Structures are given as structure tokens and as C-alpha cells.
Amino acid sequence: MQFSSTNSQAYREGLHDGIPIGLGYFAVAFSLGIICRSSGFSVFQGFLASFLNNTSAGEFAAITLIGAGASYLEIAMVTLIANARYLLMSCALSQRFASDTPIIHRLGVAFAVTDELFGIAIARPGMLNPWYYYGAMSMAIPGWSSGTALGIIAGSQLPARIVSALSVALFGMFLAVIIPPARQSKVILAVILTSFAASFIASTWPALAAFSSGTRTIILTVAISTMAALLHPLKADAQFEEA
């Protein structure tokens, strides 16, 4: 299938939109690198782990368990739970591809479904050109993996305050993803505010607080998105209007 004559343009747009994500990942991965070093990872091992596992919460949990000497089963279960929300994101992304998109492109995009990459991809109007996603991946993955490697090199030499300050970049990326569409749609704004409030309540409500953050995210995502879809259904022509 030929997506369009502007695949190179879509790739460049992805590169452009992926720059802040890559920079944010690089900063946040520093703290992951420090954890990797304390868990006995070499620079190459940490780089490879982050290159092949593009996830923050899941990798943080896995590396911590490895350092604690956990079993393979425990590591697998915790990683599965922490990353389960990406199953939902992958389902949503699959609906944004043209029906005849080759499986190779679907698998290529599936390699790096992260919160930030999903956010910029799902916010684009019309059908998703996988080359846009590849462009964003080209900035995000090197930022995450190289940040981890350099964090291992830096080790515990960085003061805790600096590591904490660098981690704030991740929240900045989330804001950059959600603020533009929220300014354009009152429905999206209401969903975002509802998500914030529900997430806080879920973290303090005993019935849900016992679950992991990943499991709570899945429960809230399904519940809030279902309510939004029922109360404010999106017309097909508005969803797939040409960019």
C-alpha cells in the first residue's frame, strides 16, 4: 500500500513533534540509569534494556525487582500489570490506520506505544500515517536509551535534588500533549479534569488504592472513555476529517 506521496513529510513532522519527547525521556531516564547501576547493570545492558523496553513505570518496576533478586515470574507479572494500559492504547491506535495498512507497519508502531507517543499520534486528525509515528520514535527511543546509559555512568554522583528536578520534565510532556486539544474542545477538557479528579480519588479510596497504578489507569480509562463516548459520541466525519 502507498500511504501518500508525503511519507517523508509525515516522517519529518514526527521528528519535529518527537524532539520534546526525546529530550524529556533523556532527562527522566537519568534516574532510571542510577537505579540500573545500583541493580548491577552495565552501561550496555542498561542501554539495551531501555532500547527494547520503551516504558517508564514498567521498566522502573522491573529494574527494581531485578536489583532485589525477584524471580522471573514476579518480574513478568509486575511488568505485565504496569504496562497493561498499552493494550488499550494499541487498540485505539489500530483504529486510526487505514484498513489496508500492512501488518509490518502495525508491528513497527506497536514496538513503541508509550503515553507521550500515543498522545501526539491520537491527537492528529485523519488517518494515521505510520511514518509520522516512526519519526517520533526516532527521537524518543534514542533519548530514553541513551539517557539510561548516561545515568548509569553518572551513577550516584548527581545530587538527589537534581535527579528529582529532571524528573519534572515528564509531567511537562504530559501537559504539552493534553493542553492544546483541551483548549479546542470542552468535551476533552471535561474528560481531562474528570480523569485528574478520578485518579486522585482512586489513589486514596481503599477499594482501588490496593491495585497497582497501571491497573487503576486501565479501570479509569475504560470507565471514563466509555462515559464520554456514550454522552458525547464523535461523528465519523469529524473523527477522520482530512488534516
Side-chain angles (χ1 to χ4, degrees):
M1 172 187 176
Q2 295 294 328
F3 292 100
S4 70
S5 60
T6 60
N7 287 342
S8 60
Q9 179 182 355
Y11 183 82
R12 290 193 298 270
E13 291 174 353
L15 283 175
H16 176 271
D17 294 346
I19 289 176
I21 295 178
L23 292 175
Y25 281 1
F26 179 85
V28 175
F30 245 86
S31 56
L32 174 63
I34 294 175
I35 295 176
C36 284
R37 177 168 177 171
S38 64
S39 298
F41 278 62
S42 67
V43 175
F44 175 74
Q45 289 172 334
F47 175 87
L48 187 63
S50 287
F51 186 84
L52 298 177
N53 298 275
N54 304 289
T55 169
S56 57
E59 193 172 353
F60 268 99
I63 299 301
T64 302
L65 287 174
I66 291 174
S71 66
Y72 290 132
L73 179 60
E74 289 174 324
I75 296 172
M77 291 301 297
V78 169
T79 303
L80 175 63
I81 293 173
N83 295 332
R85 67 185 184 279
Y86 297 127
L87 295 175
L88 300 177
M89 295 182 186
S90 297
C91 290
L93 278 176
S94 69
Q95 302 303 308
R96 298 297 303 275
F97 288 121
S99 58
D100 55 347
T101 300
I103 186 65
I104 187 65
H105 286 297
R106 296 177 182 270
L107 293 176
V109 169
F111 175 74
V113 178
T114 69
D115 298 321
E116 294 77 24
L117 292 179
F118 171 83
I120 63 173
I122 210 71
R124 285 176 66 84
M127 291 294 183
L128 178 63
N129 187 328
W131 287 98
Y132 170 81
Y133 205 93
Y134 296 155
M137 287 169 56
S138 298
M139 299 302 299
I141 295 177
W144 182 247
S145 52
S146 62
T148 302
L150 290 179
I152 296 175
I153 295 173
S156 59
Q157 300 303 312
L158 290 175
R161 279 181 289 179
I162 295 180
V163 175
S164 178
L166 290 174
S167 299
V168 175
L170 183 62
F171 298 98
M173 288 190 298
F174 280 120
L175 292 177
V177 169
I178 65 177
I179 287 179
R183 295 178 61 182
Q184 298 175 5
S185 171
K186 293 182 179 179
V187 175
I188 295 178
L189 176 60
V191 169
I192 292 174
L193 295 178
T194 301
S195 300
F196 285 166
S199 180
F200 173 76
I201 294 173
S203 65
T204 57
W205 188 26
L208 290 177
F211 293 99
S212 68
S213 59
T215 302
R216 291 200 302 269
T217 298
I218 293 176
I219 295 173
L220 294 178
T221 299
V222 172
I224 296 174
S225 61
T226 299
M227 290 179 58
L230 292 175
L231 296 175
H232 299 279
L234 186 63
K235 297 180 180 180
D237 56 350
Q239 182 179 5
F240 298 114
E241 64 180 354
E242 185 177 355

